[in-house]
């Protein structure tokens, strides 16, 4: 099947019967780290392998071969503006990139659109080549046009994209210099379910500079004016966004669209629920767009998310992907699933975490050409229909952790899917530099995972969750992380109380868990690298080698048993005064720490150290508590599940949340 192409001196932008749903954009600051997400000068092709060979490579952690990046200068290109690019004679650029290729398979799967029109306007002669790919990553030429300038149009069918594939175009300055004036993808308005607008909800806690940066970005992009009705800044910190010097500039740019709200710290779930509730009460938006306060947005992604949601066959949650704030070409989250048996989240099968577009461009990366359907999308960027808010309620009152994934599971049970849309994304600090499973967040990880499982697990007594939970406690104990275990035990104890504690304690639990943690030396972080004396081993390691990770289930069990028996030995008196080892955060695993009496351990972000000291009394007491609590939770699973499910509509209702907001309010003068 071929596309139809027409060339004319000029054409108007999308007619009244069509909608622009995707435009070619370029980075505003010419950031070399983000450039590979917008333009590709490498002309790299995917290495197409047999399915068997590809599976072997992926099992070995090899997805695709790296490509040497080329700068615009070396490629004979100049970024002229947000949408325009100039090429020298003979230069070649491809828009087979994350932000500028059209994700055809997602439109094919989730909308009734059957054809997309590509319009490319040039100033000067050029060769224009349109490509498509399939789910296997094979690139296929669709049409080639020798343009003398002006606008060229291509009507492109979506029928072939059932399992994956993209459209894109390449541009060759074949007879002198040429400028790309604009390029956009339009679809027929006849397939639009709603012509919707969005309110934005930003929950912020003591990040006024990041938050104001985001407000300034949205205020400066005039294309968002007709799409965003209101921006709710829910400030829960004591470093007020309103006091940031540039806030007045942002407020002036946004005008009466900006609503600044203050309340007590109710975590992400409380802040986002406030934005949800305000959006419902205002009744002026079809969607609420949730954004973390510490992200950098690509405004074009907001437009694309709203446009895509407008065309989805049914109300759909549309999420954006997450790129690293530190390595801006690295994609950290693409499509994510919840394993219902273990009730743990993770990347969808066939996707890769930490994918670097700077070394692995789109058309050289086979797995990116398959469509990947997820269960949920993180609330760093997530567009939720107000239909969903009315149908399934607001967030769980859980402060942080599992609020975004549980909401998507709940919405999915009501027939509202979640789509993580390529081309819509933010930059966010990645979680690879953190270990929030052992800090104060350990409480929320544990309680909220169990809560989500009680609400949504289809397996008897939660599948393997109870066993995995108890195993985690044992690992933390063997790792001398007593503060994390105490918080995890508190979480299970409060879960067993039933759902009444959720709203009652959402504003107070954080203070409690912080107070509990500081009683343990492993939770006290010092920034002084000389705070502890030079380490000295009590006895050398066996055969001169540090313990290594067990390589099979048998050695795993034996290693854990030996480590557990060692915890029952008396602790040397000098262990507290003279640590035995200094251990890097990445090496602080149970099979190593269980073999020593004390260690100085680096924090995950590398900024401090903590003293880990073995305590056999705590080990025994916490192990008994954990065993008893897990036995009780398993025995009461059916009753707890019925209780939490029965109360779900109540504790996620706008009325219940309104009472919690009132109880945790902050006066504007505070």
């Amino acid at each position: 099947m071929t596309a139809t192409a027409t060339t004319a001196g000029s054409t108007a932008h999308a007619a009244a019967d069509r909608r622009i749903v995707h435009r070619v954009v370029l980075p505003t600051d010419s950031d070399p780290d983000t450039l590979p997400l917008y333009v590709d000068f490498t002309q790299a092709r995917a290495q197409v392998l047999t399915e068997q060979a590809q599976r072997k490579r992926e099992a070995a952690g090899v997805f695709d071969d790296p490509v040497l990046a080329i700068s615009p200068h070396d490629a004979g290109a100049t970024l002229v503006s947000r949408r325009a690019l100039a090429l020298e004679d003979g230069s070649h650029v491809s828009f087979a990139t994350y932000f500028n290729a059209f994700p055809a398979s997602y439109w094919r799967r989730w909308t009734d659109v059957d054809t997309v029109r590509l319009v490319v306007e040039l100033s000067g002669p050029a060769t224009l080549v349109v490509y498509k790919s399939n789910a296997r990553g094979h690139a296929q030429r669709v049409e080639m046009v020798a343009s003398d300038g002006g606008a060229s149009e291509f009507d492109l069918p979506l029928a072939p994209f059932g399992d994956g594939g993209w459209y894109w175009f390449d541009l060759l300055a074949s007879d002198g210099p040429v400028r790309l004036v604009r390029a956009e993808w339009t679809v027929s308005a006849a397939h639009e379910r709603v012509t919707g607008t969005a309110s934005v909800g930003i929950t912020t806690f003591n990040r006024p500079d990041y938050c104001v940066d985001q407000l300034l970005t949205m205020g400066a992009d005039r294309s968002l004016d007709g799409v965003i009705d209101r921006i709710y800044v829910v400030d829960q910190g004591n470093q007020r966004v309103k006091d940031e010097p540039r806030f007045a500039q942002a407020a002036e740019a946004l005008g009466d669209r900006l609503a600044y709200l203050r309340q007590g710290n109710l975590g992400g779930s409380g802040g986002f629920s406030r934005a949800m509730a305000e959006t419902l009460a205002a009744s002026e938006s079809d969607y609420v767009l949730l954004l973390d306060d510490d992200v950098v947005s690509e405004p074009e992604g907001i437009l694309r998310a709203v446009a895509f949601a407008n065309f989805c066959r049914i109300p759909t949650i549309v999420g954006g992907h997450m790129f690293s704030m530190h390595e801006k070409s690295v994609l950290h989250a693409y499509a994510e699933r919840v394993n219902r048996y273990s009730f743990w989240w993770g990347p969808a099968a066939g996707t890769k975490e930490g994918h670097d577009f700077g070394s692995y461009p789109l058309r050289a990366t086979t797995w990116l050409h398959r469509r990947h359907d997820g269960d949920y999308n993180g609330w760093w960027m997530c567009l939720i229909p107000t239909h969903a808010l009315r149908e399934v309620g607001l967030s769980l009152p859980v402060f942080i952790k599992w609020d975004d994934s549980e909401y998507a599971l709940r919405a999915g049970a009501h027939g509202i899917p979640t789509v993580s849309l390529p081309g819509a994304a933010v930059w966010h600090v990645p979680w690879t530099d953190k270990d929030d499973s052992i800090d104060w967040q350990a409480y929320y990880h544990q309680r909220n995972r169990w809560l989500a499982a009680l609400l949504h697990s289809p397996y008897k007594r939660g599948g393997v969750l109870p066993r995995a939970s108890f195993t985690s406690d044992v690992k933390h104990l063997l790792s001398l992380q007593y503060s994390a275990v105490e918080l995890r035990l508190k979480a299970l104890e409060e879960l067993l109380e039933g759902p009444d504690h959720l709203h009652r304690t959402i504003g107070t639990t954080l203070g409690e868990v912080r107070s509990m943690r500081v009683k343990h030396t492993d939770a006290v972080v010092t920034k002084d690298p000389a705070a502890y004396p030079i380490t000295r081993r009590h006895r050398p390691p066996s055969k001169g080698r540090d313990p290594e990770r067990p390589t099979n289930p048998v050695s795993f069990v034996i290693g854990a048993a030996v480590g557990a028996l060692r915890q029952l030995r008396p602790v040397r008196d000098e262990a507290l005064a003279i640590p035995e080892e200094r251990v890097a955060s990445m090496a602080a695993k149970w099979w190593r720490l269980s073999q020593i009496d004390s260690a100085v351990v680096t924090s995950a972000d590398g900024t401090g150290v903590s003293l880990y000291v073995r305590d056999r009394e705590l080990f025994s007491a916490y192990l008994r508590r954990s065993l008893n609590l897990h036995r009780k939770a398993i025995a009461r699973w059916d009753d707890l599940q019925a209780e939490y499910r029965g109360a779900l509509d109540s504790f996620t209702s706008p009325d219940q949340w309104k009472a919690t907001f009132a109880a945790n309010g902050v006066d504007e003068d505070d």
Side-chain angles (χ1 to χ4, degrees), residues 47 120 166 196 267 273 373 384 399 414 426 440 468 514 602 607 641:
Q47 181 181 358
V120 181
W166 305 66
S273 286
D373 299 329
I384 301 176
F399 199 84
H414 284 77
V426 297
W440 58 268
R514 286 187 182 278
T602 309
T607 63
Q641 188 169 65

Side-chain angles (χ1 to χ4, degrees), residues 243-287:
D243 295 335
E244 214 277 342
R246 297 168 300 144
F247 180 80
Q249 179 186 348
E252 181 179 2
L254 293 169
D256 60 6
R257 290 187 297 163
L258 178 60
Y260 178 74
L261 308 171
R262 290 268 290 159
Q263 67 181 28
N265 186 13
L266 303 178
S269 71
F272 287 133
S273 286
R274 178 72 180 274
M276 293 175 178
E278 295 289 341
T279 300
L280 280 177
S283 297
E284 57 187 355
S285 302
D286 298 275
Y287 312 100

